[in-house]
Every structure is written in C-alpha cells, then in structure tokens.
Amino acid sequence: DYTRALSLSRLAYDLESLASPALAAALLTVIGFHWLFAGTVVGFLASAALVISVRLPQSRAVERTGSIYAKTFHGISIYLRTPRLRGLLALNLAAAAASSMVIVNTVVYVQSKMQRPSTDVPFALAAFGCGSMLVALLLPKHLDKRPDRPAMLAGASIMAIGLFAGITVAGLAAPVEWPAFLLTWFAIGVGYSMTLTPSGRLLRRSAGSADRPAVFAAQFSLSHACWL
C-alpha cells in the first residue's frame, strides 16, 4: 500500500504540473487574472482544510537531548551515516541535474534553437510528464517482486543517456529534431520517476519509527539542496 501511495503521489504531482497551466489558460479566456488569483487562494484554503481533516496515527513523542545544533541536524546525521542514503543523495543529484535541464532549457531550446512557436513548449513539458506518469503507474507492480536498487539505478542511467542523447538531437535535421526531442524528454521523465518514486521506501527502511520524521526532513532538505 505504501508503494502505491508513493506512486499516486508522483502521479498527482506530474498531473498537476501538466493540468494546471492548461486549466489556468482556459480560465483566463472567460475570467480576468484577478479572479484567477482569487480562485487560487480559495484552492489553497480548501487544500489546507483537507490536510487538517486527515486523521494521522498517534505517535509517541521523542524527547531529544543535546544542543540545538544536534537536534536540528539529527536527521541529516543519520542520513549521511547510512550508506544506502548516501547513495540516494547521489541519485537525488542526478535527478536534479536532469529535471533542471528540462525545466530551465525547454523554453530556450524549443523557441530559440528549433524556432518553434511558444505553443509547442507545453507539448515538450508534457512529454517529460507523460514519461514520469507512465512509470508511476507501472512501477508498483514491478517493486512488488523486485528490489528498489535496480530500478533506481536504471532510472539514473536512463536520465544520463537522455541528456547525452540531447547532444545528438541538437544536430539532427529540422523535420526529425522535434520528434526526437520529444522522445528524449519522455525518456528523461521515465528515468526521473524510476529514480525518485521508490525513494520513500528506502527512507522508511533506513530509520526506526522515532527517527523517520527527521530522516524524511533531511531528504527534503538535501534533495532541494541538490538543485543549487
């Protein structure tokens, strides 16, 4: 169930990235942007209400001793002392490198390099998102029978191959370059989801129940630091 929850979380994240710009564009054809921002506020409030309404299992509070520094970096200390989590940190760095290429350079490549209209940018981003969502749907069944490590390493390899393939794509003739570019972005999305979707399982196995909040917080902090 936890694996499927991770998969649905990844699916929801990618679906939101794909659907929200299209929905915003559609709404702007019938309402002004002031009303759109007001609707966004309502959406955030509704989301907060749903979060508050969720019942979480009660956990025993753990009193930690030591300095404020020790308490603050407790999760990071566990994270960096655990070999499998140090490997996860390297995979986080690989995922950040690949996805930053997609997020930052898609607009530049599509409009400046290929001289395509701005309306093609969402299709390029959708190719990445579709690859990620496809894996999010299929991965739980795979992980029911196989360990996380091969899938995550395969995902990182696919991202690396996709980035290097981009060099070749840039030299292709115009009629072939666009579909090859979409296929490359799709492959990077596949690798991205294969790498990150099982990470929650890895974190869960690497810490006891008392330390899991700190370890998950460390994952959040360190994975975002990889983007820097």
Side-chain angles (χ1 to χ4, degrees):
D1 290 340
Y2 183 65
T3 303
R4 282 156 181 76
L6 292 174
S7 175
L8 290 174
S9 175
R10 168 57 51 188
L11 188 64
Y13 180 85
D14 290 328
L15 188 60
E16 184 273 335
S17 298
L18 289 176
S20 58
L23 180 60
L27 288 173
L28 284 173
T29 62
V30 294
I31 62 174
F33 69 90
H34 293 293
W35 286 107
L36 184 62
F37 279 117
T40 303
V41 171
V42 173
F44 276 120
L45 292 175
S47 178
L50 289 173
V51 171
I52 293 172
S53 69
V54 173
R55 291 186 177 182
L56 298 175
Q58 294 293 328
S59 58
R60 183 183 300 176
V62 178
E63 292 292 335
R64 302 199 182 279
T65 59
S67 65
I68 184 65
Y69 176 87
K71 294 178 181 178
T72 302
F73 291 95
H74 175 69
I76 293 178
S77 176
I78 296 174
Y79 196 107
L80 297 179
R81 289 200 313 265
T82 307
R84 67 163 68 102
L85 295 184
R86 291 200 298 269
L88 177 59
L89 182 59
L91 293 176
N92 285 330
L93 184 60
S99 57
S100 62
M101 173 64 74
V102 172
I103 294 170
V104 175
N105 286 329
T106 296
V107 175
V108 177
Y109 194 93
V110 171
Q111 294 189 236
S112 298
K113 169 63 173 62
M114 290 192 285
Q115 297 294 309
R116 299 188 69 88
S118 59
T119 52
D120 281 347
V121 173
F123 290 105
L125 294 174
F128 174 83
C130 287
S132 180
M133 287 191 292
L134 178 64
V135 170
L137 287 171
L138 299 178
L139 198 58
K141 289 184 179 180
H142 175 84
L143 295 179
D144 283 343
K145 301 177 181 179
R146 296 174 179 83
D148 305 330
R149 179 186 174 96
M152 297 175 78
L153 292 177
S157 300
I158 291 171
M159 287 190 293
I161 293 170
L163 291 175
F164 279 108
I167 300 173
T168 303
V169 170
L172 295 175
V176 183
E177 186 179 13
W178 175 238
F181 176 79
L182 293 178
L183 182 61
T184 301
W185 255 221
F186 178 85
I188 292 175
V190 167
Y192 184 77
S193 188
M194 286 179 67
T195 302
L196 292 187
T197 301
S199 61
R201 288 161 48 104
L202 201 63
L203 293 164
R204 194 180 185 191
R205 288 200 308 270
S206 300
S209 58
D211 292 324
R212 277 178 194 153
V215 171
F216 272 87
Q219 162 69 2
F220 183 86
S221 300
L222 294 174
S223 62
H224 282 71
C226 289
W227 287 80
L228 301 177

